[in-house]
Amino acid sequence: MRVVIAEDLFLLRDGLTRMLQAHGLSVVRAVESGPELLAAVAEEQPDVLIVDVRLPPTFTDEGLRAALTARRSAPGLPVLVLSQYVEQLYARELLAGGTGGIGYLLKDRVMDSAQFVDAVRRVAAGGTAMDPEVIARLLTHNSGDGAVAALSPREREVLGLMAEGRSNAAVAQQLVITERAVAKHTASIFQRLGLQQSDDDNRRVLAVLAYLNR
């Protein structure tokens, strides 16, 4: 798997590079600015981007803007965003494309290397990896919207865990229910959100995006 990293802090950039390489991923470019990120994407054609929201020179949203530009030039390009804070506008803008391969993690939660690499792999495969705090903020904001409001409290819990990228088995363990019960809840979620019969992995991603992007 070919990875491009955009992070202005040298120690974090170097640490992420070493972490990913230790787990068998190839970091083909590690840069510190938006223009360098776009150049790296064009030249390296990576499988996934790992991008800090705030990059030089203004440290506002250069990283996100560069990631969005990269996704427009390479539709569906998987992007995992790292941020110091929960920034709802940025999260919603990232999700607005309605396609998978999206992650949004808080930097101070990147503590477990195996979990982080799993999130990178999941996003690269077209899935989602959303930080629980980001999900909570977005769901609070979206709680009154149409199909979202029709979901039961348990279905909202299940979908929130799905957004974190958890499997049915992991959801069942977290909620202390059976996998069969989780399967029933997910089937109900797909129906309420109007997702037609298709590959379940794809429908999980579409359900998460529909839920968070309303």
Side-chain angles (χ1 to χ4, degrees):
M1 184 184 302
R2 296 165 56 81
V3 183
V4 166
I5 298 172
E7 166 58 56
D8 66 292
L9 295 176
F10 170 77
L11 289 179
L12 182 54
R13 187 170 67 246
D14 185 62
L16 288 171
T17 299
R18 292 173 183 272
M19 178 195 302
L20 295 172
Q21 290 174 337
H23 285 266
L25 280 67
S26 175
V27 178
V28 295
R29 196 80 67 85
V31 302
E32 59 180 333
S33 71
E36 288 177 309
L37 171 63
L38 294 177
V41 170
E43 294 167 12
E44 302 291 351
Q45 299 184 339
D47 299 306
V48 61
L49 306 183
I50 299 174
V51 184
D52 186 356
V53 167
R54 302 184 177 192
L55 293 176
T58 67
F59 295 97
T60 54
D61 61 356
E62 285 90 345
L64 177 72
R65 296 297 170 196
L68 292 172
T69 299
R71 277 175 71 88
R72 284 193 291 271
S73 64
L77 177 64
V79 176
L80 175 58
V81 166
L82 297 178
S83 179
Q84 196 69 41
Y85 312 100
V86 178
E87 300 173 276
Q88 293 185 53
L89 176 62
Y90 297 157
R92 290 177 65 83
E93 198 160 352
L94 189 66
L95 292 163
T99 57
I102 292 295
Y104 191 117
L105 300 179
L106 297 182
K107 287 184 178 181
D108 60 5
R109 294 183 193 260
V110 183
M111 306 295 288
D112 185 300
S113 63
Q115 289 183 0
F116 179 71
V117 172
D118 179 65
V120 173
R121 293 185 185 279
R122 193 161 59 245
V123 169
T128 58
M130 305 297 292
D131 190 279
E133 189 172 340
V134 175
I135 294 168
R137 295 284 186 89
L138 291 173
L139 298 193
T140 298
H141 178 79
N142 297 338
S143 59
D145 293 342
V148 172
L151 296 174
S152 71
R154 178 62 87 185
E155 288 167 349
R156 289 170 62 85
E157 286 182 311
V158 170
L159 194 46
L161 293 170
M162 285 169 56
E164 293 176 31
R166 303 200 192 197
S167 65
N168 279 10
V171 172
Q173 183 177 21
Q174 177 71 22
L175 298 179
V176 195
I177 58 178
T178 66
E179 286 190 53
R180 185 175 180 180
V182 173
K184 287 183 178 180
H185 287 309
T186 56
S188 177
I189 289 167
F190 296 152
Q191 183 178 13
R192 290 179 187 275
L193 294 180
L195 298 176
Q196 301 301 316
Q197 188 69 37
S198 65
D199 175 75
D200 269 357
D201 284 343
N202 183 56
R203 285 203 293 174
R204 285 171 71 93
V205 172
L206 291 175
V208 169
L209 293 174
Y211 193 33
L212 297 179
N213 193 39
R214 287 181 181 273

